Amino acid sequence: MYKILSVLLEYPEQELIDNLPEIRAIIDENTDIDTAERVALRKFLDHLVSVTLTELQAEYVRTFDSTPEHSLHLTHHLFSDDSDRERGPALIDLGEMFKEYGVKTVTNELPDYLPLLLEFTSYLDDNEATVFLSDVNKVLKTLTDNLTKANSAYATPISIIESRATLTRLAA
């Protein structure tokens, strides 16, 4: 599930569009995805195929690159831009955690980039994933709220991540 969400939140390329039928099939067959998540993800996939790739790329840039309140770099929401002294150690800690788990990142993105965090989360068991993501639940809620207010289709996958990032899921 987290790998799928990671892919859906990356900058859209033709490869994503080409693989949407396979992604839809995985969503439909995955028993770890509840009915509400499945319906929401299908609607999001419908959106992805309803526009051209160029339109989708422009939407992505407008949403995530041009609007700081929608940044997929989660420490941006925790620390002000002036606070590199606080943000830097948080980024180093995340990078070290990836190394401890033996996860090698092959990207130029900072370790707080949500698709990269989701990629890492996909290596964890369900309980570990929930605990890991619960540390950023407040940021995920803020991001979901900001995207919802902007009527962004990307609010859907972020809200699913947010709902999975609550420790109350462990008691269920």
Side-chain angles (χ1 to χ4, degrees):
M1 175 66 169
Y2 295 111
K3 176 65 176 163
I4 290 169
L5 290 166
S6 172
V7 167
L8 293 176
L9 290 172
E10 287 282 359
Y11 180 78
E13 301 282 357
Q14 186 61 48
E15 183 179 10
L16 171 66
I17 304 305
D18 294 344
N19 288 303
L20 286 177
E22 181 181 344
I23 292 170
R24 186 180 297 273
I26 292 168
I27 289 168
D28 288 345
E29 296 166 7
N30 189 325
T31 57
D32 293 332
I33 300 173
D34 69 34
T35 302
E37 291 172 335
R38 188 171 284 111
V39 168
L41 286 170
R42 285 178 187 152
K43 184 177 176 184
F44 182 70
L45 294 180
D46 290 344
H47 168 71
L48 296 180
V49 298
S50 72
V51 296
T52 67
L53 178 58
T54 303
E55 291 169 328
L56 194 57
Q57 290 171 332
E59 174 188 355
Y60 187 93
V61 169
R62 271 191 319 275
T63 302
F64 297 117
D65 298 338
S66 300
T67 310
E69 296 82 24
H70 302 165
S71 176
L72 292 176
H73 291 93
L74 299 186
T75 59
H76 169 81
H77 301 281
L78 290 172
F79 308 109
S80 68
D81 286 337
D82 314 339
S83 184
D84 285 340
R85 286 178 295 173
E86 294 175 38
R87 189 173 182 211
L91 294 171
I92 291 169
D93 289 347
L94 275 171
E96 291 300 315
M97 181 183 293
F98 291 172
K99 286 179 188 173
E100 286 175 25
Y101 275 82
V103 175
K104 294 183 180 167
T105 58
V106 289
T107 180
N108 291 331
E109 290 293 347
L110 294 171
D112 68 334
Y113 181 58
L114 184 55
L116 184 58
L117 287 174
L118 294 170
E119 178 79 24
F120 170 73
T121 304
S122 72
Y123 290 95
L124 305 176
D125 70 35
D126 283 341
N127 288 345
E128 283 180 312
T130 299
V131 170
F132 175 70
L133 290 173
S134 72
D135 285 344
V136 293
N137 184 272
K138 185 176 179 179
V139 173
L140 292 168
K141 178 167 180 24
T142 299
L143 188 53
T144 299
D145 291 347
N146 292 344
L147 291 166
T148 300
K149 288 175 192 169
N151 293 320
S152 172
Y154 285 99
T156 297
I158 303 291
S159 70
I160 291 170
I161 300 162
E162 178 198 348
S163 72
R164 288 175 163 255
T166 59
L167 293 177
T168 55
R169 285 188 80 228
L170 297 177

